[in-house]
């Protein structure tokens, strides 16, 4: 099966928006191909948004974000080909490593701010910065989920009033009808808010606005101060508090976040050391095995292995985070007991 000239190898994940497949380009390079469900493709407004945003996404540059390589907005099932990033998602990497300390947060924050700088330079916001949209690769963190045609309105709400995005990472201006913020749709300041929330989760193992039902989390986002208890040091709670302030005008710019975090980052970064480096190697090996099998390796069939089960073929692959799925836990990955404070997502 081909999509836009890309040979499909295996289904990786599926969501309400579409499917993500592992595929090969004409030159044999692995890519992720995202296709859109038919009911969305039937909406002319969605197609137009897809076309516009795919073009903008292809203008995004920088080694810290997964590049949109190609797109077919006029196909029967619109599709986009995205750079494939092999590695664990940020939640899995931090669960293996343990909550990040001062210098480790600096390295992660600088990498993600660098990714956002590239996105914003193309004149578009990311709009869905969250832990599951960060993959830790051999070359460092990569920001995924810079999706094409996410149906986000200027107010960040659907027609029925539901918040569009990820509760706990949505900025208050996307949820409120406050007149002060009526000219502040999803943009750089909203991405800085989400980045601050991601760093808080990486440091403490919990969201700064708690957990529970989406309306509860969104209400706390609008009306309560972020919970930053456990964030290391004295400077980090202050800085993350600035990122998570309700007024977008009071947040630091992406350039300020990059400078502040880079000044605190240690070398080598934590993803180049064990046990995370080993976890990355394991994920790379899984991708290589999957591609070899599809090419006629161990099975000798040349057919995608069990493509109907997104987990059987690609358990743990970082690209799954782009659609919000949770990979199966590897039996070889380090685990912690129920009293171990290092288990932020268990």
């Amino acid at each position: 099966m081909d999509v836009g000239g890309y040979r499909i190898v295996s289904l990786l994940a599926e969501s309400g928006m579409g499917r993500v497949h592992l595929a090969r380009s004409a030159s044999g390079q692995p890519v992720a191909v995202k296709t859109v469900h038919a009911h969305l493709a039937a909406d002319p407004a969605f197609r137009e948004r897809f076309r516009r945003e795919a073009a903008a996404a292809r203008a995004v540059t920088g080694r810290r974000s997964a590049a949109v390589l190609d797109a077919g907005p006029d196909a029967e099932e619109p599709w986009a080909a995205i750079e494939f990033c092999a590695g664990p998602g940020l939640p899995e990497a931090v669960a293996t490593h343990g909550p990040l300390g001062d210098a480790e947060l600096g390295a992660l924050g600088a990498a993600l701010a660098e990714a956002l700088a590239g996105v914003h330079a193309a004149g578009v916001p990311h709009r869905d910065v969250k832990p599951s949209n960060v993959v830790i690769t051999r070359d460092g963190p990569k920001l995924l989920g810079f999706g094409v045609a996410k149906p986000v309105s200027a107010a960040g709400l659907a027609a029925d009033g539901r918040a569009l995005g990820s509760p706990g990472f949505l900025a208050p201006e996307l949820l409120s009808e406050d007149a002060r913020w009526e000219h502040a749709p999803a943009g750089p300041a909203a991405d800085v808010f989400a980045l601050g929330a991601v760093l808080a989760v990486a440091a403490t193992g919990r969201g700064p606005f708690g957990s529970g039902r989406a309306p509860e989390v969104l209400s706390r986002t609008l009306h309560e101060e972020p919970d930053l208890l456990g964030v290391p040091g004295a400077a980090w709670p202050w800085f993350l508090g600035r990122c998570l302030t309700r007024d977008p005008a009071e947040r630091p710019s992406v350039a300020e976040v990059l400078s502040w975090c880079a000044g605190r980052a240690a070398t080598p970064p934590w993803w180049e050391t064990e046990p995370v480096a080993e976890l990355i190697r394991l994920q790379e090996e899984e991708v290589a095995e999957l591609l070899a099998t599809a090419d006629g390796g161990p099975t000798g069939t040349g057919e995608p292995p069990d493509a109907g089960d997104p987990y059987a073929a690609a358990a743990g692959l970082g690209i799954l985070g782009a659609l919000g799925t949770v990979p199966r836990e590897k039996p070889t990955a380090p685990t912690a007991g129920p009293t171990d404070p290092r288990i932020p997502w268990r």
Side-chain angles (χ1 to χ4, degrees), residues 198-269:
V198 168
L199 294 178
V201 171
T204 67
R206 65 183 187 282
F209 299 100
S211 59
R213 297 174 59 248
E216 298 167 350
V217 177
L218 297 175
S219 177
R220 287 192 290 268
T221 301
L222 276 171
H223 304 296
E224 297 180 15
E225 295 302 313
D227 174 14
L228 299 176
L229 184 65
V231 172
W236 274 106
W238 167 81
F239 185 73
L240 294 185
R242 286 188 62 203
C243 294
L244 295 168
T245 188
R246 281 189 284 274
D247 190 341
E250 295 182 3
R251 295 177 204 142
S253 66
V254 170
E256 289 179 89
V257 174
L258 176 55
S259 176
W260 200 91
C261 291
R264 285 156 179 79
T267 54

Side-chain angles (χ1 to χ4, degrees), residues 59 61 116-124:
T61 59
L116 284 178
V119 171
H120 297 164
V124 288

Side-chain angles (χ1 to χ4, degrees), residues 136-160:
I136 308 301
T137 73
R138 177 182 295 272
D139 298 323
K142 289 267 193 176
L143 186 59
L144 302 180
F146 177 62
V148 277
K150 288 178 184 169
V152 178
S153 69
L157 298 174
D160 61 3

Side-chain angles (χ1 to χ4, degrees), residues 10-14 18-22 32-35 319 322-323:
S10 182
L11 175 68
L12 294 181
E14 184 169 3
R19 299 179 179 90
V20 173
H21 298 83
L22 174 63
V33 172
K34 179 184 289 188
T35 57
I319 193 68
L323 285 181

